[in-house]
């Protein structure tokens, strides 16, 4: 069954959620990321999705201390994205215990680096494809490239990418529901496992994730709906046949 990934987005060392990818529309939900990571594990989740938002804009880690604290607080595997642009940065995070590194902007700017990373760190590299109006966005969603999500995914078809995290920016943080049509279209166009992200609003999205046609997906990421109580963790995990994932 698909995995439900709870999200911790880091800005200024705090857990926040953005609206439509806008750093000026950030809501702080917890000022202790480590405690949040422990809470998600206690609720029964078996994976954690972490993004260094400041790092995504800066092009290098900006919330390293918070990520270190998260790694110390949970035994769940953690996938991390945001500002990771070099092989040395990838190696450093994997050495610290990150289970999977997510490459976003660099996947557009330097696809050969992604392929090299996949070869050097098999099973440890995911590609983050963030799209606005169907076109790929980079640099913390501040810029849009003239490239579609499917075009970008196909660049890495045989590279050994462990997963694609597909985010519809137009839905992110506003609880309008996941863009299932675009997500499943991407999943059908590539052999790489796809994780849905952006807009998960309620248990209805989890019910949709549990349907047969979504079996092609690795899972989905949930953020704001968890934080504001719209999604009950126990009910969601039950639907997906917990326990979820593996270390």
């Amino acid at each position: 069954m698909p995995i439900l990934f709870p999200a911790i987005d880091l800005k200024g060392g705090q857990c926040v959620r953005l609206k439509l990818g806008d750093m000026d529309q950030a809501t702080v939900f917890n000022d202790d990321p480590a405690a949040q990571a422990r809470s998600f594990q206690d609720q029964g989740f078996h994976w954690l999705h972490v993004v260094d938002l400041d790092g995504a804009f800066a092009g290098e880690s900006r919330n390293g201390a918070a990520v270190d604290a998260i790694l110390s607080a949970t035994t769940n595997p953690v996938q991390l994205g945001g500002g990771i642009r070099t092989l040395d940065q990838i190696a450093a995070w994997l050495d610290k215990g990150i289970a999977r590194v997510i490459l976003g902007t660099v996947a557009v700017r330097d696809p050969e680096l992604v392929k090299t990373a996949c070869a050097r760190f098999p099973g440890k590299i995911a590609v983050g494809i963030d799209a606005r109006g169907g076109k790929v966005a980079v640099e913390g969603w501040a810029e849009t490239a003239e490239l579609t999500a499917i075009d970008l995914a196909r660049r890495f078809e045989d590279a050994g990418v462990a997963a694609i995290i597909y985010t519809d920016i137009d839905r992110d943080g506003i609880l309008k529901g996941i863009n299932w049509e675009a997500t499943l279209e991407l999943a059908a166009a590539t052999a790489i496992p796809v994780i849905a992200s952006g807009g998960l609003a309620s248990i209805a999205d989890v019910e949709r994730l549990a349907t047969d046609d979504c079996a092609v997906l690795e899972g989905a990421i949930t953020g704001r709906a968890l934080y504001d109580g719209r999604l009950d963790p126990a009910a969601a995990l039950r639907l997906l046949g917990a326990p979820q994932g593996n270390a």
Side-chain angles (χ1 to χ4, degrees), residues 19-108:
K19 188 174 288 187
L20 301 173
D22 185 349
M23 287 286 272
D24 293 327
Q25 295 192 69
T27 303
V28 176
F29 283 100
N30 196 327
D31 59 9
D32 188 342
Q36 187 63 63
R38 277 194 301 272
S39 176
F40 283 143
Q41 181 170 313
D42 291 345
Q43 289 167 11
F45 293 101
H46 286 258
W47 265 93
L48 184 60
H49 174 81
V50 178
V51 177
D52 180 347
L53 295 173
D54 299 305
F57 282 89
E60 60 184 15
S61 175
R62 284 288 189 266
N63 286 280
V67 178
D68 289 343
I70 287 168
L71 287 171
S72 297
T74 181
T75 59
N76 282 345
V78 177
Q79 60 183 24
L80 173 68
I84 304 172
R85 310 278 169 88
T86 70
L87 289 172
D88 285 346
Q89 290 169 349
I90 294 167
W93 279 120
L94 293 176
D95 286 345
K96 284 189 172 189
I98 290 295
R100 192 154 66 185
V101 168
I102 305 164
L103 303 178
T105 294
V106 74
V108 177

Side-chain angles (χ1 to χ4, degrees), residues 177-196:
I178 287 172
N179 186 338
W180 295 108
E181 182 180 359
T183 303
L184 290 171
E185 182 183 11
L186 176 62
T190 179
I192 303 168
V194 173
I195 299 169

Side-chain angles (χ1 to χ4, degrees), residues 175-238:
L175 300 166
K176 285 181 65 177
I178 287 172
N179 186 338
W180 295 108
E181 182 180 359
T183 303
L184 290 171
E185 182 183 11
L186 176 62
T190 179
I192 303 168
V194 173
I195 299 169
S197 175
L200 193 146
S202 68
I203 199 71
D205 278 313
V206 181
E207 290 170 347
R208 182 72 175 87
L209 181 63
T211 58
D212 289 345
D213 65 332
C214 286
V216 296
L217 302 178
E218 180 172 304
I221 292 165
T222 176
R224 186 177 288 268
L226 268 183
Y227 286 102
D228 69 9
R230 290 171 185 257
L231 184 65
D232 176 68
L237 292 172
R238 213 165 32 243

